[in-house]
Amino acid sequence: HAKDNGRGRYEVFDDSMHQKVQNALSLEADIREAIGWQEFIPYFQPIIKLDNQKLKGFEALARWQSTKRGFVYPNDFIPLAEETDLIKEIDIQIIEKSCQQLKHWHDELGCDDLYVSCNLFSKQFFSTSLPQDIEKVLKRTGLAPHHLRVELTERALLENAEIVLTNMQALKNMGVKILLDDFGTGYSSLGYLHRFPIDVLKIDRSFISNVDEHNNNRAIIRTIVDLANNLQMSTVGEGIESLADAELLQQMDCVYGQGYYFAKPMSSQDTKDYIIQKLYYSKNV
Ligand code: C2E
Ligand code: MG
Ligand code: MG
Ligand code: MG
């Protein structure tokens, strides 16, 4: 009996492994196809100045409008896209569409001080063509470089520091600002943070959600804000879900915020309505 059970379990395991490989292969094929079909689009989440509630810009967050799979969130395609290097194409498509869309809003709505902040897979910073790739996108879309920001995670700072630094400096020289995303989540690169020309630290949402109930988180946020200030960097708090979160962050001198409390990531159409509402009809201007 024991033997039978063992064999049964083994076969179940084997089937599920087989299934996983099949799923990954078909997801990879679908992502490849979707890149050709331009199915990856940016959603936009507002970034707000905490002391006066002013809209400063947006983070662009990739969504996959798949003919086959429906509406797909990043967690369900970014990991495999990273493993297969398909992320490079996706990132560039998202940057291009974001710049194009923002430029369009600048011209159409007269809101030409808003910026867009795009996520880049950290390994893109290991590629010598990154600055030219981004310069080409800016030329094609007509967006001024200082309206584009790029977000990368601490992971990129751990390897190939030389090329990462060269790329960052090239982007900075163009006028593109550089943000360190999910800051504080574990790679402890504190010691060499000052070597990189980073403009903004984005404080990871794990420290911020329900910060009013967690004193440890409060101390961590305070430390990150102080560190940023000492290094002449600014701060954005992510994952602000309540008025209490927003107020606490402001008290701790965090300058900008982003989160469901202000708005969820929105489609282009909804973002346009949001900009009009925020800039022309809101009391919080
Ligand atoms: P991220 O860059 O740290 O983006 C913030 C994530 O937090 C987004 O998830 C956003 O929707 C979510 N978020 C914002 N405010 C709140 C809040 O108040 N509460 C909660 N619970 N969540 C909030 P999303 O859109 O699912 O993206 C997940 C991650 O996928 C991003 O994290 C980023 O690392 C990656 N990603 C998204 N778009 C791109 C892209 O175009 N390229 C690359 N390389 N990565 C991307
Ligand atoms: Mg980000
Ligand atoms: Mg983040
Ligand atoms: Mg994240």
Side-chain angles (χ1 to χ4, degrees):
H1 276 310
K3 214 177 172 186
D4 283 354
N5 276 344
R7 225 168 81 192
R9 264 202 298 274
Y10 176 75
E11 278 165 9
V12 168
F13 177 71
D14 191 45
D15 277 355
S16 85
M17 281 305 284
H18 181 73
Q19 194 59 52
K20 272 187 188 154
V21 173
Q22 282 296 317
N23 289 347
L25 286 174
S26 92
L27 178 60
E28 182 181 342
D30 286 0
I31 293 174
R32 246 175 236 287
E33 212 168 43
I35 289 170
W37 293 346
Q38 298 266 337
E39 287 186 338
F40 296 97
I41 55 159
Y43 263 45
F44 298 93
Q45 187 176 34
I47 297 168
I48 302 290
K49 187 146 190 280
L50 290 171
D51 64 0
N52 62 10
Q53 306 278 305
K54 270 197 184 171
L55 173 64
K56 304 308 287 184
F58 296 97
E59 179 173 22
L61 293 154
R63 301 291 183 258
W64 179 9
Q65 274 185 322
S66 167
T67 358
K68 290 183 178 168
R69 294 168 182 262
F71 193 81
V72 190
Y73 286 85
N75 289 347
D76 293 326
F77 64 87
I78 297 272
L80 191 70
E82 288 180 353
E83 270 174 48
T84 53
D85 267 348
L86 292 169
I87 191 71
K88 192 174 178 202
E89 255 78 38
I90 297 174
D91 280 350
I92 286 291
Q93 277 189 17
I94 294 294
I95 294 179
E96 173 124 22
K97 287 177 185 172
S98 302
C99 291
Q100 198 173 41
Q101 182 62 79
L102 187 73
K103 172 71 176 144
H104 183 72
W105 286 328
H106 281 177
D107 297 343
E108 188 191 15
L109 305 174
C111 55
D112 57 6
D113 49 355
L114 297 180
Y115 64 77
V116 68
S117 196
C118 294
N119 294 284
L120 273 176
F121 179 41
S122 49
K123 282 191 186 156
Q124 310 261 35
F125 274 79
F126 304 162
S127 151
T128 47
S129 71
L130 180 71
Q132 293 97 295
D133 292 345
I134 288 184
E135 196 164 30
K136 278 185 208 153
V137 170
L138 289 167
K139 285 235 168 77
R140 277 200 294 269
T141 59
L143 189 76
H146 66 277
H147 290 125
L148 176 65
R149 300 177 167 207
V150 294
E151 303 190 3
L152 72 159
T153 60
E154 290 168 81
R155 261 191 291 177
L157 311 186
L158 299 177
E159 298 167 64
N160 305 324
E162 218 122 294
I163 178 71
V164 171
L165 191 57
T166 306
N167 280 334
M168 283 186 175
Q169 259 147 5
L171 288 172
K172 290 271 305 184
N173 291 341
M174 283 162 55
V176 176
K177 285 206 163 82
I178 296 163
L179 285 70
L180 208 50
D181 206 350
D182 304 343
F183 190 75
T185 53
Y187 294 93
S188 59
S189 47
L190 284 189
Y192 44 93
L193 195 57
H194 68 278
R195 286 198 226 151
F196 296 92
I198 291 156
D199 299 285
V200 183
L201 299 182
K202 293 193 84 172
I203 306 170
D204 191 67
R205 119 170 100 84
S206 58
F207 304 117
I208 289 169
S209 297
N210 307 312
V211 61
D212 51 325
E213 292 158 26
H214 296 96
N215 274 316
N216 285 343
N217 285 350
R218 214 179 288 202
I220 290 168
I221 293 169
R222 167 90 56 204
T223 305
I224 295 175
V225 172
D226 286 347
L227 175 72
N229 288 341
N230 286 332
L231 297 172
Q232 270 86 50
M233 297 172 187
S234 186
T235 42
V236 177
E238 344 179 84
I240 296 181
E241 294 185 348
S242 67
L243 177 62
D245 292 347
E247 284 176 347
L248 256 162
L249 275 172
Q250 202 203 319
Q251 280 165 30
M252 291 185 283
D253 296 325
C254 178
V255 188
Y256 304 98
Q258 178 184 351
Y260 295 169
Y261 171 66
F262 299 113
K264 290 199 166 174
M266 299 173 282
S267 68
S268 289
Q269 184 53 55
D270 290 346
T271 306
K272 179 182 168 181
D273 294 343
Y274 179 91
I275 296 172
I276 293 170
Q277 178 66 32
K278 191 78 186 161
L279 295 188
Y280 301 112
Y281 295 102
S282 157
K283 284 173 221 136
N284 294 324
V285 174

